[in-house]
Amino acid sequence: MDYKKAASEVLQNIGGKDNIVSAAHCATRLRLVIADNGKVNKKELENATGVQGVFEAQGQLQIIFGTGTVNKVYDEFIALSGAAAVSKDEAKAQGAAKGNWFQRAIKTLGDIFVPIIPAIVASGFLMGIMESLNFMVNNGFIEMNTSSSIYVFAQLFSNVAYTFLPILIAFSAAKVFGGNPFLGAVIGMIMLHPDLQNAWTVATEGVHTYQEVFFGLYQVPLVGYQGHVIPVIIAVWVMCFLEKRLHKIVPAMFDLFVTPLVSVFVTGYLTLAVIGPVFTTVENFVIDGVQWLIAIPLGIGSFIMGGLYATTVVSGIHHMYTIIDLGQISAYGMTFWLPLASAANVAQGGAALAVALKTRNKKLKSMALPASLSAFMGITEPAIFGVNLRFFRPFIAGSIGGACGALYASIVGLGATGTGVTGIFGILLHLHHPVQYIITMAIATGVAFVISWFFGLPKEEQQPEAVPAPEQTAPEAVTALQEGAVSIVSPLTGEAVPLSETGDPAFAAEALGKGIAVKPSEGKVFAPCDATVSAVMGHAVGLTCGNGAELLIHVGIDTVNLDGKHYTGHVEEGQRVKAGDLLLEFDIAAIEKEGYKTITPVIVTNSDDYADVERVTGTVAACKDTLMKLKR
């Protein structure tokens, strides 16, 4: 490949060197921070020499070249453009700072809520299960001992994350705002103190007690903040603001007790006296406004929002919707917003599925099919960025499908018992009305599929790729072809899962090649075959195996930002290794504590050389269990 040509084409299609803020690269992608994204010719960029995919994330334009290629293209790119070469952390920071205040605020909300989603999902699922069981028991469909410890405890556990939600939010928010997360948790506890009246009793009992504040200036209700979100985030931001400034001005010998005491007391007083009452009103206004929109007769409001939802995913605004979900669950016992989001997500999957089934372009088909399956699981980025937006018409088809599904959900009053999960597994949050949920998903998927099938693809993309003339094959290569399948054993011990579970658009869409991911139970990576090390980059290792397979083992998602921290490499580029040799060690707990997933994609980067790649899921042991079979 002509690396200089590839770099030149990238430079030309991003608007020239004057449009570059900075450049970095990881094991697979060129990561550029662009001054004006409007100058980027994305369609031409996707067709540039060596480019395997293009998408935007974390304020960066990420151009996929693959292992061993990206660093060479990067060197040529820096030489041609004169761009500032920066570290991955610097590029990420510049990308985050490039957005306007609204974009930065939305990103902050995402950073706060993403870590607590597993807790919310667990409670939401259990609430749905218990509500369904209660319905079936009360209506005589099943007989069950509701006084058994399992039933009683499950009922007790089901709403715990929502009951103590302010503490979870406060802890996470303090980490994001740069404060002490345990002091943040204390602020959350203050807002749920048992001496305050439970907020969920106010509607039926009224406010029991009022308290004068600021020396009798006015009174505030002594009511807790169960189920509230916005007041908690604002209160913790104030606490972190105070804490960080006190650390600068309080002498070191007094800092240990003065700073926490003043931060918590001042913030706690302001929270109950000002922040809580004011921002509870703001939050209620937002929730009431959303509910008014959804309740517009004939489902018109839901139709509009279902159609626009995918567009908000593109812009990143969808991170704020967790506030709406949690607010509605607190106010109404369920969220009517989540079914709209679920319809919009599966609709994008339906549109991508139509592309996958109709196109005769093998590269597009191999990208669109797993991307559509990922969307059906609730992860839409691969389908939206990798397929639908690329041709735009499938994206519109998905938006129309989402609107139609949301329309039906609104008309039948479909609500979810929790949040955090959409798509196929979202039915677990709708067990009280499973048939209506299935119909909603069927309408969204069906409408999007049909429109995308008939109008989604330009004619040129419906044709097969031009097949180059076969090269002369050496005798030993012919023998390899005749041998049939090549087995690749797992380089890690853990659980093998589909690439869609990585949550990374490039891996999930198989833009870098087909493969599988491993959720590691042990922090060691071994050579799965006799090979030459083709690339080493802290968190990732590339191998050229003696059996012809080219592998990328990428430990974690976005772990490039750690710059090798918590990783210990044992090989160098160009080194020959034997099957079973230790390649890399990593600290699972430390990486996850930093906020990164350690799920490890194992990619066959030359999978186009094989007729099929069979993948094994389930528990695998390093250097023992087969992970993939490559068929000629």
Side-chain angles (χ1 to χ4, degrees), residues 21-24 74 78 82-87 90:
V21 176
S22 65
Y74 174 78
I78 293 297
V86 300
S87 70
E90 290 172 326

Side-chain angles (χ1 to χ4, degrees), residues 125 167 280 302 371 391 415 462 590 599:
F125 278 174
I167 298 175
T280 294
S302 296
F391 305 108
Q462 299 176 27
I599 186 170

Side-chain angles (χ1 to χ4, degrees), residues 164 166-168 170 182-194 196:
F164 298 102
I167 298 175
L168 295 176
F182 297 99
L183 294 183
V186 171
I187 297 301
M189 295 173 190
I190 288 173
M191 301 178 78
L192 295 178
H193 198 286
L196 299 174

Side-chain angles (χ1 to χ4, degrees), residues 95-111:
K98 193 166 72 76
N100 58 39
W101 69 269
F102 182 71
Q103 291 170 323
R104 293 197 300 272
I106 294 300
K107 181 183 181 301
T108 298
L109 290 177
D111 292 341

Side-chain angles (χ1 to χ4, degrees), residues 172-310:
S172 182
K175 293 179 68 175
V176 171
F177 294 139
N180 185 319
F182 297 99
L183 294 183
V186 171
I187 297 301
M189 295 173 190
I190 288 173
M191 301 178 78
L192 295 178
H193 198 286
D195 285 351
L196 299 174
Q197 181 184 349
N198 191 304
W200 289 317
T201 66
V202 173
T204 55
E205 301 176 12
V207 176
H208 294 169
T209 310
Y210 287 86
Q211 175 64 51
E212 292 184 347
V213 294
F214 295 116
F215 307 103
L217 185 61
Y218 59 91
Q219 290 183 329
V220 294
L222 287 182
V223 175
Y225 291 87
Q226 287 83 0
H228 288 284
V229 175
I230 295 178
V232 184
I233 294 174
I234 300 299
V236 173
W237 180 84
V238 171
M239 188 216 75
C240 294
F241 177 86
L242 289 173
E243 182 194 1
K244 286 187 287 188
R245 276 147 186 79
L246 287 169
H247 279 311
K248 293 179 180 179
I249 63 175
V250 175
M253 63 183 299
F254 301 116
D255 185 59
L256 179 62
F257 58 89
V258 170
T259 297
L261 173 63
V262 175
S263 298
V264 169
F265 181 80
V266 173
T267 303
Y269 191 92
L270 291 175
T271 297
L272 298 184
V274 182
I275 296 171
V278 170
F279 285 96
T280 294
T281 302
V282 172
E283 184 176 83
N284 289 339
F285 178 79
V286 172
I287 300 304
D288 291 344
V290 170
Q291 189 60 26
W292 172 85
L293 179 65
I294 294 174
I296 292 177
L298 305 178
I300 295 173
S302 296
F303 180 86
I304 294 172
M305 291 313 304
L308 293 177
Y309 185 89

Side-chain angles (χ1 to χ4, degrees), residues 370-412:
S372 68
L373 297 179
S374 174
F376 290 136
M377 300 296 179
I379 302 170
T380 57
E381 283 82 357
I384 291 176
F385 293 107
V387 181
N388 295 350
L389 272 180
R390 180 176 173 184
F391 305 108
F392 192 65
R393 283 183 285 181
F395 180 76
I396 297 300
S399 298
I400 295 173
C404 294
L407 174 67
Y408 175 81
S410 180
I411 291 174
V412 299

Side-chain angles (χ1 to χ4, degrees), residues 49-99:
T49 302
V51 173
Q52 300 177 32
V54 179
F55 66 98
E56 293 179 47
Q58 300 174 350
Q60 305 168 14
L61 180 67
Q62 300 189 14
I63 306 169
I64 304 166
F65 281 100
T67 314
T69 300
V70 66
N71 54 322
K72 296 172 182 176
V73 173
Y74 174 78
D75 291 340
E76 295 289 350
F77 182 81
I78 293 297
L80 285 173
S81 65
V86 300
S87 70
K88 278 72 64 180
D89 276 339
E90 290 172 326
K92 183 180 179 182
Q94 289 173 344
K98 193 166 72 76

